[in-house]
Amino acid sequence: MSNRSSLKSWQSLENHALEMKQQHMNELFSLDEQRFDKFSIQLPSMLLDYSKNVITGKTIDQLIALAEECDVSGWREKMFSGQRINSTEDRAVLHTALRNRKQTPLYLEGENITDSVESALSKMKAFTEEVRQGQWKGYSGKRITDVVSIGVGGSNLGPQMVTEALKQYSDDSLNVHYVSNVDGTQIANVLRPLNPEKVLFIVSSKTFTTTETMTNARTALKWLVAASFDDKAVAKHFIAVTANKDNAVNFGIDEENIFELWDWVGGRFSLWSAIGLPIALDLGFEKFIELLEGAHEIDEHFCQAPLTENAPVILALLSVWNCTFLGAQSQAILPYDQSLHMLSAYMQQAEMESNGKSVTWHGKEVNYPTVPSIWGELGINGQHAFYQYLHQSNNIVPADFIGSVESVTPVQGHHQTLMANFFAQTQALMTGVDEQQVRADLKATGRVDEYIDKVAPHKVHKGNRPTNTILMKRISPRTLGSLIALYEHKIFVQGIILQICSFDQWGVELGKGLANKIHQQLDQPKVSINHDSSTNGLINFYQNIISAE
Ligand code: G6Q
């Protein structure tokens, strides 16, 4: 199979990029009044405006030709039909089956996994209702008031981001907390105000071997047993979500209390499964289903819309255009909605763990830049922090601006101010302001020439900085489901274009293995260590302080 960079469409794009690097968006907008209409897509839950990119109709045609040459549609079909496209782990990639709300049968090795998903959902529903309605009792007969979800990475970020985003939709039935860090400070702070009689722990771990999660789960178990003086209390207070039932049972969790995961659900795509149980407990099961419905809506759009009108495809192609062809090295995710305060962190994992790789799925080193680093912060806070860099540094950072027409918590006067900034920022990033204008503006305020000469260069904004705007009607379980699925499919398409296996994460293994070795050495200080001089020096410094105390 050919390397991407030898494709005809790739080479045309390389040539086209040379032309487009000379273009300014201001000129492109003045040449074409229909730009917004041409370069925006309206979906039931959101509007995507991508007109503020350094693109023309020709750019889009060539990007679509690239998508076709890379057979994006064929790969999409492979994913949805359960082919083992996670090639390095030899697994299917079927998070879409978890939200297949039409419940169309899907067979994997002879098993209709739609049935398995539906029965897992029924179990989640019954459990959620029992706990929320107070029928599930703790060891002393009291109802559960607090849920502590223990998990890390894909078993934490998605559910926590969604729980935070949908806080306004939660009632007072339960308080949901998350523990992910192995730094004991987090679990200690979470447990301190809680009453063990009323706490339910959910240990979420696909493998049920992750050191951090197991360490936190054991601490939680000790805390519970110390308070209840009863090993049997575990059955009333511990739930597991895992693909490794044996390990969960060995840990002491009742078989009845285990929710199943499948190997075809990747960690960072798992919030739609029982990994989303804390979300369902917090919001109620119906709202969890609405989240799945919103995602399913985008799955259908992704499968049915022509590539030119396909929002995830367009977002992926633009990312490839901006990074691989125009040379941007990072991308900002900038939500202008307080509910989405964890979205950038979530997107960091979703995109960087998926596509932050440099060999193709055939194991060959790629000869082009792959994905940018992803970073970001809530809109207004970021404006008063790093937007200076977005506007005037000599690095171009393409940015996704995500906002909502209506606030979920309307407070008079606030939302208009927020949204005025939302619209102004993408405009300013695009138009910039040239020296002539800066000088004229300063003159108009009565400034003397000497001052103008000194200050004008500092006030010039070159503009031409690409942004996408995603405008949602309002954050809700449904629209949030759509937003997350939009990005999931964007990441998938990007992986296909870049010829990267988006569904493994070998890059997290090396450090884990070394940490295990070093952990053993820390437990046995007398054992001589033989690392490089830096690592030896650091460990010695650490141990000397500990042994002196
Ligand atoms: C996600 C990754 C990774 C994983 C965590 C937790 O796609 O695989 O972030 O989710 O390492 O793993 P467990 O769920 O197995 O504890």
Side-chain angles (χ1 to χ4, degrees), residues 152-155 204-208 210 213 266-268 349 353 505:
V152 72
S155 296
S204 295
S205 175
K206 185 173 167 185
T207 56
F208 229 80
T210 307
T213 299
R268 54 193 172 278
Q349 181 189 31
E353 199 166 71
Q505 53 284 314

Side-chain angles (χ1 to χ4, degrees), residues 91-270:
R91 289 177 184 162
V93 175
L94 276 172
H95 46 280
T96 49
L98 300 166
R99 58 212 191 196
N100 169 12
R101 299 313 301 147
K102 294 234 165 75
Q103 298 172 18
T104 36
L106 177 57
Y107 287 89
L108 203 61
E109 287 160 17
E111 186 198 339
N112 181 2
I113 62 164
T114 303
D115 286 348
S116 317
V117 168
E118 285 310 307
S119 82
L121 283 171
S122 303
K123 180 168 171 170
M124 276 175 79
K125 178 172 192 275
F127 176 74
T128 304
E129 283 167 2
E130 205 179 339
V131 177
R132 283 173 54 82
Q133 288 163 11
Q135 290 144 3
W136 180 287
K137 306 279 192 235
Y139 65 86
S140 63
K142 297 198 171 123
R143 69 178 288 165
I144 299 297
T145 55
D146 291 82
V147 173
V148 178
S149 171
I150 298 177
V152 72
S155 296
N156 159 262
L157 263 170
Q160 188 170 8
M161 183 274 283
V162 170
T163 304
E164 288 293 315
L166 298 178
K167 255 193 182 136
Q168 297 302 323
Y169 294 85
S170 151
D171 55 21
D172 292 333
S173 306
L174 293 165
N175 304 307
V176 174
H177 315 263
Y178 287 88
V179 173
S180 54
N181 201 340
V182 75
D183 183 334
T185 311
Q186 191 184 23
I187 192 160
N189 286 342
V190 167
L191 295 184
R192 191 171 302 116
L194 302 185
N195 177 350
E197 294 168 275
K198 302 179 181 178
V199 175
L200 182 72
F201 291 100
I202 304 177
V203 185
S204 295
S205 175
K206 185 173 167 185
T207 56
F208 229 80
T209 56
T210 307
T211 311
E212 298 87 323
T213 299
M214 292 304 112
T215 306
N216 279 321
R218 278 192 294 273
T219 299
L221 189 72
K222 271 192 218 146
W223 180 79
L224 177 78
V225 173
S228 62
F229 301 109
D230 183 1
D231 283 352
K232 292 201 197 72
V234 177
K236 299 280 176 203
H237 294 268
F238 270 80
I239 302 296
V241 183
T242 187
N244 188 344
K245 201 168 170 183
D246 291 348
N247 273 20
V249 169
N250 290 339
F251 180 88
I253 297 180
D254 253 36
E255 247 185 276
E256 286 287 288
N257 292 354
I258 298 175
F259 288 79
E260 192 181 0
L261 261 187
W262 302 274
D263 76 346
W264 41 264
V265 181
R268 54 193 172 278
F269 303 95
S270 64

